[in-house]
Amino acid sequence: MTDSTRAVFYKMGNVIQDYAWGSVTSIEQLFAIPNPQQKPQAEMWMGAHANGCSTIVVNGETVRLADFIATDPDAIIGAETQAKFAELPYLFKVLAAEKALSVQVHPSKHQAEIGYAKEEKIGIARNASNRNYKDPNHKPELVFALTPYQAMNGFRQIAEIVTLFQTLNIEVISDLVAKLAANQTEAGLGAFFEAMLSLEGEHKDAAVNALLAFCNANQEQPLFALLLELAEQYPGDIGLFAPLMLNVLTLQPGEAMFLSACTPHAYIKGTGLEIMANSDNVLRAGLTPKFMDVPELVANTEFTSMAVDKLLLAPAVAEGGLHYHVPVPDFKFSVYKQVHDIALQNTSAEILFAIDAPLTVTHHNGETLTLEKGQSVFIPAYAKAYSAHCDGMFARAYN
């Protein structure tokens, strides 16, 4: 079958992951996607990832998107993408968090390759609970808020961290705070971060209990009120100190943020679109019952402060859309608002997602498809060009 005779628009069937931290109501309310069993709907995956591959209908049969791509990858995802990545290089998601996700760091591409090879060599099973590197890839991410979206991203200024911990005046960690105050450098912050995450037993319990006592006495302040909320979700967890070290911010609907490799971050609450490299590498740093490898985490973390007012991405406005620049080749992300038959060119495989209104796509071969809000379409590279019409907003994932 030639590019001129096969379909160019494939409506997607997408897996919804019911992780415990997910919202029972948000995806249903935003997109009218039924949730009859009232399970937490944490993430809707759009892509070809093995742990939640989308499906499409080809010649009347339902097939996995990954299997469809494998039939002719040069034509479907593009020869350049196939040569560089040998797969659809991104995973697109709707993410709806009712509870906080773990504080985490993603390794760089180079670190992931080394770590993956090392764990393969020593024979740690890829699904083992103590496995750090599930694949040899990095996992840069972009999040686009659909509702108010609270998150942590990057270290606060070191002087601010020192002030916050000095205000707490917790005796059991006073020597660690004093060392950081005397050495306000990246090395000093690294040593402090590692020491805090390594607290165990009575020392950890005493530190967390003193933290919560302070928060209860000062819960009129938003930061300490947040810590009390997190303590209900993750009682006794050393990650409760993370918001004192990391920037805490709330994205408003329509705002976006990039999360770099080697930077600690966590999503706290809200619903958004997320696009990431096709990887599952996570090194955890708290707010989790799962495995934490503190030395490996520290080795993959850059202890660089990030100004909170620099974290949001300002989109470039061009060709009828808002385009969010990211410093990686794995994916691109754009949002279009109230466009009428806008002409779009594609050289790679694309996924479009209708955010809040029907979206109609049309090809010069006469094929057309209308999506309702909450639905998505896969468009192979061989489509080359199409037009889109939407009275609301739709998102575009491509590379």
Side-chain angles (χ1 to χ4, degrees), residues 13-19 22-24 26-28 31-37 39-46 51-54 93-96 353 374:
N14 299 312
V15 174
I16 295 182
Q17 309 282 12
D18 58 354
Y19 306 140
S23 171
V24 173
S26 187
I27 287 179
E28 184 175 27
F31 308 119
I33 295 174
N35 186 15
Q37 294 180 297
K39 288 186 175 182
Q41 294 181 310
E43 296 182 347
M44 183 168 73
W45 286 23
M46 296 171 279
N51 292 341
C53 189
S54 298
K93 298 180 180 180
V94 176
L95 187 150
F353 178 80

Side-chain angles (χ1 to χ4, degrees), residues 151-303:
M152 291 181 266
N153 188 9
F155 287 104
R156 296 175 182 264
Q157 300 299 315
I158 298 177
E160 184 181 5
I161 296 172
V162 170
T163 298
L164 284 169
F165 275 86
Q166 288 177 336
T167 301
L168 295 176
N169 194 27
I170 297 175
E171 182 177 357
V172 72
I173 58 171
S174 59
D175 58 333
L176 301 180
V177 177
K179 289 178 182 177
L180 179 60
N183 183 21
Q184 297 188 33
T185 64
E186 292 181 11
L189 178 58
F192 179 75
F193 185 72
E194 182 170 15
M196 287 298 300
L197 292 183
S198 300
L199 289 175
E200 295 180 337
E202 293 180 359
H203 283 84
K204 186 192 85 167
D205 293 343
V208 170
N209 290 338
L211 171 66
L212 296 183
F214 184 93
C215 292
N216 276 303
N218 295 275
Q219 56 188 287
E220 74 283 354
Q221 298 183 43
L223 177 59
F224 301 121
L226 170 62
L227 290 176
L228 291 175
E229 288 181 29
L230 295 176
E232 291 182 5
Q233 299 173 17
Y234 298 97
D237 196 296
I238 197 63
L240 296 172
F241 284 97
L244 304 170
M245 294 183 272
L246 306 181
N247 294 305
V248 178
L249 71 164
T250 300
L251 281 66
Q252 296 306 310
E255 293 183 330
M257 178 172 67
F258 184 71
L259 299 106
S260 302
C262 307
T263 301
H265 62 273
Y267 298 145
I268 299 173
K269 188 173 184 178
T271 300
L273 298 177
E274 184 185 38
I275 183 169
M276 62 184 65
N278 202 26
S279 171
D280 199 24
N281 284 327
V282 175
L283 297 164
R284 293 178 177 84
L287 302 184
T288 180
K290 296 182 179 180
F291 176 65
M292 283 174 50
D293 184 337
V294 174
E296 195 70 18
L297 168 75
V298 170
N300 283 270
T301 300
E302 293 179 359
F303 294 94

